[in-house]
Amino acid sequence: MTRNPVPPLLVALVVAATVAPAGAGVAVADDDFVSVAVDAPAFPTPEQPFRIGTTVKNAEVSDTRYDVRRLELRSGEASGSELHSERRLGPTTVDPGETIRRSFESTFNKTGTHDLYVHVVLVTSDGDSQRIVQPVTLDVNGEHPQLSLDTESAVSLDSRTMTVNVSNGRDDVVRQLALEVESDDVSVDEDSKIRAQLDSGDETSFSFTASAEEAGTHPVEVTLSYTTADGEPRQLTRLLRADFGPPAQPSEHPQLSVTSESAVENAWRALNVTVSNGMEKQVRQVSLETESDDVTIRENRRVVSSLDAGAERTFSYRASASESGTYPVNLTLVYVDSEGLERQITRTVQADMTPPENPGNVSLTGVSTDRQGNTVTVSGSAANLGGEAVDSVVVSVADAQNVAAVQPQPEYFVGTVESSDFVSFDVNARLSNNRTTVPLEVSYVVDGVTRTRTVMAEAGSAPTRSVESGSGGGGGGSLPFALVGVLVALVLVASVWWARR
């Protein structure tokens, strides 16, 4: 199908623009090189806002910097002529070689052809005010098809359906319809759609997949090009609004509550969030997400297909905090209500990450030592002074200078010790270089966290050996007992031999 739209009115003022001092008539500024182009819809509809685009360009060879102060739509060229609409701009400068584009809205109540003028008010760096004037002709025609825009309701800013409805209130058919959408704030996957024709009194819809980076209501420029029954091509542009805000929250919604297990610092504990549906109808596609800057949460999203009216569901998360305290946790509940609308609830709750009053705590009691030379046997009890059981209790000789763990018992695996209970142990060590203490390391697991402490056991000094030495000179002295026995045996043998001769 051939598309033949009427292009927007475009008027451009070339270098050496028509410039008039503010409050005066039109004049030419010989030393200025600023140009202005204006585009506006050719066929606006009465009582419907339309947009007029203005492009201001400062030539490369210009030596003047301009501040664009106002855009005006007036009935004449003079600054005192009737004002139809205007837009006051904030700081908007145009340096040499730069181009800016700004737009403003206007509305007409009467049909017919209107010869109007766009005024661009500039102020130079020297403070001089100047006015550039451009003519624009608008053919206000009330016989266009009507346009409206609907946006699918959704909680998130993910893609949603944006629908433009076209109603033909004319007395005849319109053909070769082409619809385009454009917005600085809304992105669409495919920005143009076509239809062959639309009969008088009928309505058709053009659907687009759209998304926005920010929640809120965003302007969308919709342009409809079509051909009338007598072959006249026309174009209609409307500035419509796309609502990307969240749906209104219902008066009732599921309730949220949170509890947490007691555990020591750095331990993984259960963080339980309960969703209670106190409403009269079921909710579907329920998802709950937890987030915190102070608490580490594993796999922080849970999903369930539905939650019946009057029912509740508890979602359990693994959570950990490096320091004891109460920390904020953000909960985001998303669900689909009985009307098929996606709803979202956000709550901040306080999670108690404090440890129990008396956690498992192993100490070594009744420690005694038995030293034989440099070898020491250390005995004692591993006692759990806390209010909960501890696991994997091990007592061993710690690494230190001049001490080594030795067989038969370099370490002792105690195992589990219940609250207020104890288990005996024995370990062996070898000391050197006159060391008198044995370092003992006890490790255990409480709430999944391994804790270790080292204590010293006094072993005392190694005993000193004394050896008797003979007295007298010339090698004389007492003979050892074994040597005397050997001599006696030899004498007896010699005596028997002599007697038998």
Side-chain angles (χ1 to χ4, degrees):
M1 183 178 82
T2 304
R3 179 182 174 197
N4 188 19
V6 176
L9 178 63
L10 180 62
V11 182
L13 186 63
V14 297
V15 176
T18 302
V19 179
V26 177
V28 176
D30 296 333
D31 297 332
D32 293 331
F33 297 87
V34 65
S35 63
V36 171
V38 175
D39 61 89
F43 302 101
T45 301
E47 300 181 356
Q48 293 290 336
F50 59 92
R51 185 165 62 179
I52 299 175
T54 304
T55 302
V56 180
K57 180 178 181 180
N58 197 357
E60 293 279 358
V61 295
S62 172
D63 59 359
T64 304
R65 183 185 190 187
Y66 292 94
D67 182 10
V68 183
R69 294 293 178 86
R70 294 193 310 280
L71 304 176
E72 302 172 347
L73 182 63
R74 294 183 176 272
S75 59
E77 298 179 70
S79 61
S81 58
E82 180 184 358
L83 178 66
H84 291 279
S85 60
E86 69 172 338
R87 178 186 176 186
R88 296 180 180 272
L89 305 178
T92 307
T93 59
V94 188
D95 291 320
E98 287 189 345
T99 300
I100 66 162
R101 177 179 172 82
R102 297 292 185 271
S103 61
F104 62 106
E105 293 184 14
S106 189
T107 304
F108 279 91
N109 297 326
K110 295 181 180 180
T111 61
T113 301
H114 298 266
D115 294 323
L116 302 168
Y117 296 86
V118 174
H119 293 233
V120 179
V121 180
L122 308 171
V123 175
T124 66
S125 55
D126 296 332
D128 296 332
S129 180
Q130 297 179 333
R131 182 181 296 264
I132 300 178
V133 180
Q134 285 288 6
V136 60
T137 299
L138 301 175
D139 186 6
V140 182
N141 191 322
E143 296 181 351
H144 291 301
Q146 299 299 307
L147 302 178
S148 64
L149 187 147
D150 296 324
T151 311
E152 180 185 17
S153 179
V155 173
S156 64
L157 291 176
D158 295 337
S159 296
R160 65 184 74 184
T161 301
M162 183 177 70
T163 303
V164 178
N165 304 305
V166 181
S167 302
N168 184 13
R170 294 168 52 92
D171 295 333
D172 54 1
V173 66
V174 293
R175 295 179 287 106
Q176 297 179 313
L177 288 81
L179 189 80
E180 295 182 0
V181 295
E182 182 181 358
S183 175
D184 293 336
D185 304 312
V186 178
S187 301
V188 293
D189 292 346
E190 185 179 359
D191 59 3
S192 63
K193 301 290 179 70
I194 60 174
R195 293 284 189 278
Q197 69 177 42
L198 183 61
D199 292 332
S200 175
D202 285 353
E203 179 178 299
T204 188
S205 297
F206 298 83
S207 295
F208 302 86
T209 300
S211 60
E213 293 185 358
E214 296 183 1
T217 301
H218 303 296
V220 177
E221 185 178 84
V222 180
T223 301
L224 175 66
S225 301
Y226 65 94
T227 302
T228 63
D230 56 5
E232 179 185 357
R234 289 191 173 185
Q235 188 177 76
L236 169 67
T237 300
R238 293 286 178 268
L239 193 62
L240 305 179
R241 302 286 175 176
D243 186 4
F244 278 80
Q249 290 294 335
S251 57
E252 291 185 325
H253 50 74
Q255 302 298 311
L256 301 173
S257 62
V258 62
T259 60
S260 58
E261 287 183 345
S262 179
V264 298
E265 292 88 346
N266 293 312
W268 289 103
R269 68 186 77 190
L271 180 69
N272 301 312
V273 182
T274 300
V275 181
S276 301
N277 181 14
M279 300 188 296
E280 296 180 354
K281 295 184 179 180
Q282 181 191 72
V283 294
R284 299 179 292 106
Q285 300 178 21
V286 181
S287 70
L288 181 66
E289 186 170 331
T290 60
E291 185 179 22
S292 175
D293 293 334
D294 305 298
V295 179
T296 302
I297 303 175
R298 284 179 177 170
E299 299 177 357
N300 67 332
R301 187 169 182 264
R302 298 288 186 271
V303 178
V304 65
S305 59
S306 63
L307 186 61
D308 292 334
E312 66 179 31
R313 180 69 177 265
T314 297
F315 300 90
S316 185
Y317 304 85
R318 301 300 292 169
S320 174
S322 60
E323 295 183 4
S324 172
T326 301
Y327 300 106
V329 176
N330 299 321
L331 306 178
T332 302
L333 177 69
V334 179
Y335 65 94
V336 175
D337 64 13
S338 58
E339 297 178 356
L341 294 177
E342 187 182 65
R343 303 289 185 180
Q344 176 174 301
I345 299 171
T346 301
R347 295 286 183 271
T348 298
V349 296
Q350 298 297 319
D352 184 2
M353 305 299 287
T354 57
E357 292 183 0
N358 188 22
N361 179 19
V362 175
S363 294
L364 300 184
T365 61
V367 178
S368 63
T369 59
D370 180 13
R371 181 164 185 168
Q372 299 294 329
N374 288 331
T375 301
V376 181
T377 298
V378 184
S379 303
S381 297
N384 181 7
L385 306 180
E388 58 182 350
V390 294
D391 300 317
S392 303
V393 180
V394 177
V395 180
S396 59
V397 177
D399 290 335
Q401 189 175 11
N402 298 323
V403 63
V406 296
Q407 297 296 334
Q409 199 74 30
E411 67 177 11
Y412 192 93
F413 179 74
V414 177
T416 299
V417 182
E418 298 295 333
S419 172
S420 301
D421 199 359
F422 67 92
V423 176
S424 299
F425 69 90
D426 293 291
V427 293
N428 301 106
R430 178 176 291 113
L431 305 180
S432 58
N433 293 331
N434 297 321
R435 184 181 178 103
T436 61
T437 58
V438 179
L440 298 179
E441 180 180 275
V442 56
S443 66
Y444 58 96
V445 176
V446 54
D447 294 333
V449 177
T450 299
R451 290 189 166 181
T452 303
R453 62 162 51 107
T454 301
V455 298
M456 290 294 181
E458 291 292 336
S461 301
T464 303
R465 285 182 136 186
S466 62
V467 179
E468 282 191 21
S469 56
S471 59
S478 300
L479 293 174
F481 178 79
L483 181 57
V484 171
V486 172
L487 292 175
V488 171
L490 290 174
V491 169
L492 290 175
V493 172
S495 299
V496 172
W497 176 81
W498 179 261
R500 287 182 178 181
R501 280 188 61 187

